[in-house]
Amino acid sequence: EAGVAQSPRYKIIEKRQSVAFWCNPISGHATLYWYQQILGQGPKLLIQFQNNGVVDDSQLPKDRFSAERLKGVDSTLKIQPAKLEDSAVYLCASSPRGSWEQYFGPGTRLTVT
Amino acid sequence: QQQVKQSPQSLIVQKGGISIINCAYENTAFDYFPWYQQFPGKGPALLIAIRPDVSEKKEGRFTISFNKSAKQFSLHIMDSQPGDSATYFCAASPVSSGSARQLTFGSGTQLTVLP
């Protein structure tokens, strides 16, 4: 089966610009997660969706970050405006109903200059 | 307290040796402890996981040891190979009312296995 797809793989923007990341989870996976992984650190959960509803967005900086999951399948994560400290790899993961395993995509590496 | 503390930050072992990575947690609500392996340019991938009802779980060369009273768990890689060179993350998840799990990750250990 195809894995979690993410695009773009790399993005370089200037501070105060906006950027969007796209994720296509494994087919049929009900739960979708967005993580932020700063260099040298473990992934940090930003938001969790169950189908197209938000389960937890307590660690999402809502003044600049937003996310949606269209029709319970694809998801986009947006940053507007970006700050230097947003430089990180943004990982998308999905999980099938009833499973505790999360399947991660390759991530999008964002550099904010 | 949601933090998971991982050590060491980096580890170098010889081929055939044993690699040991340790993690500690504070939140007694955690009840699922997976280890993830991450290669450069790739997302993390589940390696092995344990629940607190057992003290040890072994899958091939990989073993998790779990000490509930000390709130610590560790990953042992036996007969380490150069192909095991990667970053390893421990994680923990609390009891959830649903099937979805929210993971708190450790800071990672960069393992290098010398040929």
Side-chain angles (χ1 to χ4, degrees):
Chain A
E1 82 187 339
V4 176
Q6 291 188 247
S7 67
R9 292 297 312 277
Y10 306 91
K11 189 74 176 179
I12 301 174
I13 62 172
E14 296 181 351
K15 60 184 179 183
R16 292 186 289 273
Q17 287 186 324
S18 60
V19 64
F21 312 126
W22 174 81
C23 172
N24 181 230
I26 294 173
S27 178
H29 282 196
T31 309
L32 185 147
Y33 309 82
W34 282 102
Y35 289 87
Q36 180 192 58
Q37 186 176 20
I38 293 172
L39 185 65
Q41 299 182 19
K44 185 185 84 170
L45 179 67
L46 292 175
I47 188 168
Q48 176 186 349
F49 292 93
Q50 182 77 16
N51 297 311
N52 61 353
V54 176
V55 173
D56 185 352
D57 63 357
S58 59
Q59 298 191 81
L60 187 73
K62 298 181 189 61
D63 57 333
R64 298 184 300 107
F65 285 65
S66 64
E68 61 179 0
R69 189 176 184 193
L70 305 173
K71 300 179 181 178
V73 182
D74 292 8
S75 178
T76 56
L77 176 70
K78 297 179 181 178
I79 307 175
Q80 181 180 11
K83 293 184 176 181
L84 295 176
E85 59 261 36
D86 298 331
S87 294
V89 174
Y90 290 84
L91 293 163
C92 178
S94 67
S95 184
R97 191 178 302 276
S99 172
W100 295 349
E101 181 172 356
Q102 296 184 22
Y103 297 79
F104 283 81
T108 296
R109 181 177 296 278
L110 173 67
T111 302
V112 182
T113 63
Chain B
Q1 178 60 269
Q2 294 290 320
Q3 194 174 15
V4 178
K5 296 183 179 180
Q6 183 172 347
S7 63
Q9 187 174 7
S10 63
L11 181 62
I12 299 174
V13 300
Q14 294 287 339
K15 178 181 175 182
I18 302 173
S19 305
I20 302 174
I21 305 170
N22 301 298
C23 283
Y25 64 97
E26 291 293 329
N27 189 346
T28 55
F30 286 149
D31 76 335
Y32 171 66
F33 303 90
W35 284 89
Y36 279 78
Q37 179 188 55
Q38 185 175 30
F39 292 103
K42 305 289 186 181
L46 179 65
L47 192 61
I48 186 172
I50 196 168
R51 294 205 65 195
D53 51 344
V54 296
S55 60
E56 185 174 283
K57 183 175 182 180
K58 183 177 181 179
E59 290 184 0
R61 296 184 294 109
F62 301 92
T63 300
I64 300 179
S65 296
F66 184 80
N67 186 328
K68 188 174 181 178
S69 61
K71 291 185 284 187
Q72 296 175 348
F73 58 109
S74 60
L75 176 69
H76 296 236
I77 306 175
M78 311 300 288
D79 187 26
S80 298
Q81 300 296 312
D84 297 331
S85 298
T87 301
Y88 292 80
F89 293 96
C90 62
S93 176
V95 174
S96 170
S97 59
S99 63
R101 286 280 175 164
Q102 297 180 4
L103 295 173
T104 298
F105 283 85
S107 55
T109 296
Q110 187 166 354
L111 172 66
T112 302
V113 181
L114 301 176

